[in-house]
Amino acid sequence: MNIGVFDSGIGGLTVMEEIVRLLPNYDYIFYGDQKNNPYGEKTDEELLNITSSIVDYLISRDCHIIVIACNTATTRCMKKLRVKYPDIVFIGTVPAVKVACDNDSRNTLVLATPATIHSERVQELILDNKKETQNIYLAPCYGLANAIEFNENDKIDMILLDLHDTYIDKNIDCIVLGCTHYPYIKDSIQSLFPDAVLVDGNNGVAREVRHQLQLMDRYEESDTVGTVEIIFDRK
Ligand code: DGL
């Protein structure tokens, strides 16, 4: 059995790294769908078509567990994928709103793609976790994941400065990196909001993979190191 992991590009590798660190003795196939990047500005129908063909491919490569290493695809189509592929165990990535709320942050800023920010799933996360005394600000970051994917540094700086100007007077003490591409620019975000703690959900995803392996009775600790195959579907 292989474990499949996919995203619209390099973002998913930040999730994959955590999974492999926790579970090094399994075999992984990573699929970076760069040719369809950005996911965060696509319709639900487009996303379901795109992700279904990746899932078909990963199933053909003997993946029984598939990690959606992308907040956008998780919040917009994981439920539909679970219905379409009932035999596959899907593990998704959602913005770490719960972590921020559990840490008793007062003013949390969630950075994510427009599709994630406007999803029902994010509203559910807020409803389930936010205490009355807490404020959560949602920032749809148009173009940011795409600029990170293709290394467009001027564009990244422009988007970050705009975020800074919009939220600097909100006393932000926690920033949720709600897109798996954003850990790559962690240092730049931190320098603009030096008092904020930055959180992402990647470690939680890795622990969930372990939990699912345990439920499937396929969990084993061993000194052997598995394989990692990385496929990039480029433009
Ligand atoms: N890395 C993805 C996410 O976590 C998607 C970025 C994109 O393609 O827009 O949302």
Side-chain angles (χ1 to χ4, degrees):
M1 176 186 80
N2 292 310
I3 297 177
V5 181
F6 77 87
D7 179 38
S8 65
I10 58 171
L13 293 173
T14 66
V15 181
M16 175 93 169
E17 206 182 312
E18 288 285 333
I19 304 172
V20 175
R21 188 178 301 142
L22 187 69
L23 302 160
N25 51 316
Y26 290 84
D27 296 324
Y28 297 90
I29 300 176
F30 177 85
Y31 192 99
D33 183 20
Q34 205 174 50
K35 86 170 185 300
N36 287 306
N37 182 292
Y39 280 4
E41 288 157 51
K42 293 206 161 32
T43 65
D44 286 3
E45 200 189 340
E46 287 171 322
L47 281 176
L48 187 62
N49 285 337
I50 290 166
T51 54
S52 294
S53 41
I54 297 171
V55 168
D56 287 337
Y57 171 72
L58 292 173
I59 291 173
S60 78
R61 298 288 316 276
D62 202 24
C63 295
H64 299 249
I65 294 182
I66 296 182
V67 179
I68 307 179
C70 170
N71 294 263
T72 308
T74 303
T75 56
R76 303 304 302 209
C77 57
M78 186 167 78
K79 281 184 188 159
K80 290 175 209 145
L81 289 172
R82 281 183 169 150
V83 173
K84 195 166 169 184
Y85 301 94
D87 296 337
I88 299 298
V89 174
F90 286 101
I91 296 162
T93 312
V94 292
V97 171
K98 181 173 175 6
V99 178
C101 293
D102 289 353
N103 286 353
D104 284 333
S105 306
R106 306 276 308 191
N107 297 301
T108 296
L109 176 63
V110 180
L111 307 180
T113 67
T116 299
I117 290 293
H118 299 125
S119 68
E120 275 173 28
R121 188 74 188 98
V122 162
Q123 289 308 320
E124 283 167 11
L125 288 168
I126 294 172
L127 211 68
D128 292 348
N129 295 292
K130 188 180 99 61
K131 301 173 195 101
E132 247 178 59
T133 50
Q134 297 180 310
N135 297 311
I136 298 187
Y137 300 96
L138 300 176
C141 302
Y142 289 87
L144 186 55
N146 189 255
I148 295 168
E149 183 73 31
F150 297 105
N151 232 344
E152 294 169 7
N153 293 321
D154 291 348
K155 197 166 166 190
I156 295 171
D157 290 348
M158 233 171 60
I159 297 169
L160 290 187
L161 274 181
D162 195 45
L163 280 171
H164 174 265
D165 293 350
T166 311
Y167 295 102
I168 196 60
D169 61 347
K170 304 285 188 213
N171 293 324
I172 300 295
D173 55 1
C174 180
I175 296 182
V176 173
L177 303 176
C179 167
T180 55
H181 280 70
Y182 300 169
Y184 289 109
I185 55 162
K186 213 172 176 168
D187 292 347
S188 309
I189 296 173
Q190 186 75 77
S191 67
L192 290 173
F193 295 92
D195 298 332
V197 173
L198 271 48
V199 296
D200 64 54
N202 292 359
N203 186 261
V205 175
R207 282 185 282 114
E208 183 57 23
V209 176
R210 181 176 60 191
H211 177 63
Q212 291 299 330
L213 286 165
Q214 285 162 342
L215 291 179
M216 293 165 84
D217 224 7
R218 287 193 179 241
Y219 177 67
E220 53 191 57
E221 283 181 44
S222 122
D223 287 339
T224 54
V225 176
T227 58
V228 174
E229 182 182 347
I230 296 182
I231 300 162
F232 266 90
D233 195 352
R234 296 183 201 280
K235 278 181 205 278

